[in-house]
Amino acid sequence: MVELVFWCLTGSCGLAVILGLRKPSGYLEFPTLVAAVFLGWVVPQLWQVRQGVTFVESEYFVTLNLFTLACFLSIHLGWNWGVGVARRGSPSFQLRAPSYKGLLRIGFAISAVAWAMQIGMGMRPLDELNMTQWSGPLTIMYFVFNVKVIALFLSIYLAIKYRSTASYVLLASAVALYIPLILIYFRRRAMVEMFTCLVLALWFARRVIVPRIFIVFGMPVGALVIFGVGALRSIASETGEWKMPTLAQIRAIDFWSLTPFATEHATPELTNALYLVRLADQWSFHTFGAGSWNRIIFQYVPAQLVGADLKNWLMFDLGVAERLYNQLYYAGSTGATSTAMGDAYLEFGFFGVIFFVAMAYVMGRWWARASRGDVWAATFYASGLAPALIMPTAYAFYFFNVMILYGGVICGARYFLGSPVTGRPVIGSGVNAASRVQRAKRPSGYAGRGATVP
């Protein structure tokens, strides 16, 4: 049974990648990219975990595989639902084009906030920065620092579309924030954000397609890098000071040996998920949304302002780690996540697929609106794509937790800084509205490429 479900999951992921890459812009769509994440990160771990599953755990491993397959399929359900709703649109939808100056002003403001957080973190004591787990003001600054992805997308978009000096300055400011994160600290999220913002900006600004051959060969390379990040970081920090590794040091790493196909030690996340499923089923323990509530409180209620006692009072005492240890004699590896699959199942059982449906629905709506010319939908989609792709590797509420910050910053920047629209808004929906905008800009007598003038 477990082999059948496992190969169904593998086949579904592979088919989704193939069908997505057949479309010109399919590699930009969330279902295609998340299928690559499942194929390159989830499936290999499940394959290795299966090798060591005992008879007692086999029942729960089947459940984990079934639920993982259900989560993957529910992503497509939510995506198609969201795209369909957005394409039908509302008769009163107004296709407005934000002005270049308004976008530039917002991009600089958000970039300034990110730089302020970067400088603030750099001024903290070195012993605090070197701690395994940050706390206090450092966690707040790092969380707000994540708005850099909004500035990155806007800067690339404006530089490609308008090619002005100011947009190039904004681009340099945003990229400078990412260079150390990618080349020295090897942050997975920064790598994903740089890739997604670049390819999305090329598409939304100029309809430029990256050759799919690069995407096809880049996926397995990306998977190897993701599993080898730990080795890269150890090289960068081996002298006590972080510095960029040399090419010789990077070539010396045996990346294949760090994948789940070569070692069982590369599967802590899906092992955590297996034990969460077992805890939920064997002991009839579900958190029913309390875990997601705790993550919101932990992220958005600063103990420095309200006090630790009030913050702890607002959170539910679930004791998941203690239950795993006391009831199943299991203690997870330090730094390993619960994964969205394990976390969602612990929350609501098989009804936990609602997290994946809701997330894909939101992304589908943004994609459809962005594809017909809505710059702000494109900004939301670009900033949300990395959290959406990372969500399976993190926890079930991860996407929504991050998008509360991004949504608040984008909406707040638009409200306070303003983004005047250019031209007169066009009433309509879908592609027809966008085509009327283009026809309004054409000179009299224009018939289009390849058309015949009567």
Side-chain angles (χ1 to χ4, degrees):
M1 178 64 177
V2 66
E3 290 189 5
L4 174 63
V5 179
F6 173 81
W7 290 114
C8 283
L9 173 63
T10 305
S12 299
C13 295
L15 181 62
V17 171
I18 293 172
L19 294 178
L21 291 177
R22 290 184 62 185
K23 297 187 290 184
S25 61
Y27 72 95
L28 301 174
E29 297 181 5
F30 173 62
T32 305
L33 292 172
V34 79
V37 172
F38 270 74
L39 203 58
W41 190 85
V42 177
V43 168
Q45 289 203 46
L46 284 176
W47 180 85
Q48 183 61 263
V49 171
R50 185 181 59 164
Q51 312 307 313
V53 169
T54 65
F55 177 77
V56 175
E57 298 167 342
S58 60
E59 174 187 351
Y60 310 108
F61 189 62
V62 172
T63 302
L64 174 61
N65 279 263
L66 279 171
F67 185 67
T68 302
L69 177 60
C71 291
F72 179 72
L73 296 178
S74 68
I75 288 174
H76 293 266
L77 172 64
W79 173 268
N80 292 327
W81 181 21
V83 169
V85 170
R87 284 178 176 170
R88 289 193 295 272
S90 169
S92 61
F93 172 74
Q94 296 183 339
L95 190 66
R96 294 175 176 266
S99 71
Y100 159 72
K101 290 185 178 179
L103 289 173
L104 192 66
R105 186 163 56 246
I106 290 174
F108 271 113
I110 296 176
S111 181
V113 171
W115 271 106
M117 297 300 105
Q118 172 78 317
I119 294 171
M121 289 188 291
M123 296 175 64
R124 304 299 297 179
L126 187 60
D127 57 344
E128 183 180 356
L129 292 171
N130 290 333
M131 291 177 62
T132 305
Q133 186 171 355
W134 288 351
S135 61
L138 198 56
T139 59
I140 299 175
M141 288 188 286
Y142 182 76
F143 183 62
V144 178
F145 176 64
N146 288 320
V147 302
K148 65 188 183 299
V149 66
I150 305 172
L152 178 66
F153 173 75
L154 287 176
S155 67
I156 300 175
Y157 176 87
L158 292 172
I160 293 173
K161 191 172 183 66
Y162 298 100
R163 302 174 184 176
S164 65
T165 302
S167 64
Y168 291 146
V169 172
L170 176 61
L171 177 60
S173 172
V175 171
L177 289 168
Y178 276 85
I179 290 177
L181 294 176
I182 294 175
L183 299 181
I184 298 178
Y185 300 109
F186 295 99
R187 301 295 184 189
R188 297 184 182 96
R189 180 169 168 180
M191 297 176 189
V192 175
E193 288 175 349
M194 179 60 75
F195 167 75
T196 55
C197 286
L198 177 60
V199 295
L200 288 172
L202 285 169
W203 173 251
F204 290 132
R206 293 286 177 179
R207 289 298 189 262
V208 174
I209 295 292
V210 176
R212 279 169 283 189
I213 188 67
F214 293 116
I215 304 299
V216 171
F217 283 101
M219 286 180 178
V221 172
L224 290 175
V225 171
I226 292 300
F227 284 113
V229 158
L232 290 168
R233 290 176 182 170
S234 64
I235 293 176
S237 62
E238 62 183 3
T239 61
E241 273 184 44
W242 287 87
K243 63 179 182 178
M244 188 168 64
T246 63
L247 289 177
Q249 290 175 315
I250 295 176
R251 285 198 300 266
I253 299 175
D254 184 1
F255 285 95
W256 178 256
S257 67
L258 302 174
T259 67
F261 295 110
T263 174
E264 62 182 11
H265 299 297
T267 61
E269 290 83 10
L270 267 297
T271 302
N272 287 345
L274 171 61
Y275 276 89
L276 288 176
V277 169
R278 182 179 174 184
L279 177 67
D281 283 358
Q282 183 175 347
W283 296 89
S284 300
F285 174 72
H286 292 282
T287 53
F288 298 109
S292 298
W293 169 262
N294 283 353
R295 294 188 185 277
I296 295 177
I297 298 300
F298 178 80
Q299 200 75 73
Y300 290 98
V301 179
Q304 293 81 5
L305 298 180
V306 303
D309 292 338
L310 177 58
K311 183 171 183 175
N312 291 332
W313 180 80
L314 291 172
M315 301 172 69
F316 293 96
D317 185 12
L318 301 176
V320 175
E322 291 78 7
R323 288 174 180 268
L324 286 172
Y325 186 78
N326 295 330
Q327 298 173 357
L328 301 179
Y329 310 105
Y330 175 75
S333 303
T334 303
T337 65
S338 58
T339 78
M341 290 75 68
D343 194 50
Y345 193 86
L346 186 67
E347 291 271 57
F348 300 110
F350 272 93
F351 290 104
V353 297
I354 190 65
F355 289 103
F356 294 84
V357 173
M359 178 262 298
Y361 171 81
V362 171
M363 293 295 291
R365 292 202 64 174
W366 285 338
W367 169 259
R369 294 188 62 172
S371 298
R372 65 191 189 191
D374 189 331
V375 176
W376 290 117
T379 306
F380 273 107
Y381 184 82
S383 60
L385 187 54
L389 293 175
I390 295 172
M391 172 185 158
T393 72
Y395 56 86
F397 202 71
Y398 181 79
F399 170 79
F400 304 99
N401 221 357
V402 175
M403 288 312 299
I404 292 173
L405 172 66
Y406 292 164
V409 169
I410 294 173
C411 294
R414 290 179 62 188
Y415 180 80
F416 289 106
L417 299 176
S419 181
V421 297
T422 57
R424 186 170 58 185
V426 178
I427 308 299
S429 64
V431 177
N432 292 331
S435 63
R436 284 197 291 275
V437 172
Q438 296 300 321
R439 287 199 299 270
K441 296 180 180 178
R442 294 172 183 168
S444 177
Y446 177 83
R449 181 182 299 177
T452 303
V453 179

